Amino acid sequence: MLLSVDDLGGAWARDSLGNWEHMVTPGGEPQRELAFRLGVNIVMYALCVDYKDDQVHVPFILKRRKR
């Protein structure tokens, strides 16, 4: 479970022209940057949480790269 007191989706939302859809208050642009940082951390955690299970494939990948 992930909990944030801020509206991350609102901070990330852009319209079709690339303009921000919502103002970020009360934190302004620093709060928007922190929302992006938190989003990147969430994605990296989700992608890297089982890296030890993937270590089984490393010898095969290295062997294949040598060809």
Side-chain angles (χ1 to χ4, degrees), residues 16-31:
S16 60
L17 298 175
N19 299 318
W20 299 115
E21 286 190 11
H22 308 287
M23 297 297 298
V24 181
T25 55
E29 292 307 310
Q31 183 176 340

Side-chain angles (χ1 to χ4, degrees), residues 31-67:
Q31 183 176 340
R32 188 182 310 274
E33 180 181 345
L34 291 174
F36 274 98
R37 288 183 182 193
L38 178 58
V40 169
N41 285 335
I42 292 167
V43 170
M44 291 301 296
Y45 177 80
L47 293 174
C48 298
V49 72
D50 63 345
Y51 75 96
K52 289 188 178 183
D53 294 338
D54 293 336
Q55 291 294 318
V56 173
H57 304 288
V58 170
F60 173 76
I61 294 169
L62 293 175
K63 184 177 177 182
R64 189 165 184 177
R65 285 183 60 197
K66 288 181 183 177
R67 288 191 230 169

Side-chain angles (χ1 to χ4, degrees), residues 1-6 8 38 42:
M1 181 173 159
L2 180 70
L3 179 64
S4 175
V5 295
D6 298 319
L8 300 177
L38 178 58
I42 292 167

